[in-house]
Amino acid sequence: MDCIFCKIVEGTIPSKKVFESEHVVAFHDIQPAAPVHVLIIPKKHIASINEVEAADREVLGEVLLAAPQIARQLGVAESGYRLINNCGSDGGQVVYHIHMHLLGGEKLGGLNVKPV
Ligand code: 5GP
Ligand code: ZN
């Protein structure tokens, strides 16, 4: 499958991994938007949150459970952080392999809810 994040899971594209568990991998974003910017992804290819199924509940639970572990590991659990999922064109999704952005390490601006 021609998917950048599947290739990162396979290891054919390099990444700076910060976390790995049975169903999940997390790595530093290549273009960080904050001092800490990690992408948390399921190893399974799911295009977006629109495509999730009930059978994915364990995998998605593992994605969420990874967030506080990574935050503690990178020293932002106490200072705080933001988890973001972009879905589809209007949501700003560029890579169609579901992922959660974990952003922190500075006081983040308010959510931009207006069109760009
Ligand atoms: P989206 O806009 O789809 O929510 O976010 C995709 C994110 O993936 C962007 O923040 C972008 O910088 C990141 N990204 C795209 N290609 C790569 C890559 O090859 N390696 C890493 N580490 N991040 C990537
Ligand atoms: Zn994929």
Side-chain angles (χ1 to χ4, degrees):
M1 184 175 303
D2 196 21
C3 168
I4 297 172
F5 288 178
C6 282
K7 287 178 181 159
I8 284 177
V9 170
E10 291 162 8
T12 49
I13 288 181
S15 70
K16 290 186 185 168
K17 273 195 196 127
V18 295
F19 176 93
E20 181 159 9
S21 63
E22 187 181 357
H23 300 296
V24 171
V25 174
F27 49 89
H28 289 287
D29 195 290
I30 206 166
Q31 277 191 299
V36 171
H37 188 174
V38 167
L39 301 172
I40 311 172
I41 72 170
K43 291 179 180 174
K44 177 186 174 186
H45 181 87
I46 302 169
S48 82
I49 201 160
N50 276 342
E51 278 73 36
V52 298
E53 297 167 356
D56 298 321
R57 67 180 64 214
E58 192 185 340
V59 167
L60 295 170
E62 211 172 292
V63 168
L64 278 184
L65 287 168
Q69 291 187 52
I70 295 161
R72 278 192 288 272
Q73 191 183 319
L74 299 181
V76 299
E78 294 303 317
S79 49
Y81 53 96
R82 187 174 290 162
L83 294 174
I84 295 175
N85 171 253
N86 296 326
C87 178
S89 174
D90 283 0
Q93 187 174 7
V94 173
V95 178
Y96 280 79
H97 179 130
I98 193 170
H99 53 279
M100 199 71 87
H101 297 255
L102 188 160
L103 295 151
E106 68 183 7
K107 184 81 74 191
L108 299 166
L111 280 181
N112 177 11
V113 293
K114 296 193 182 125
V116 284

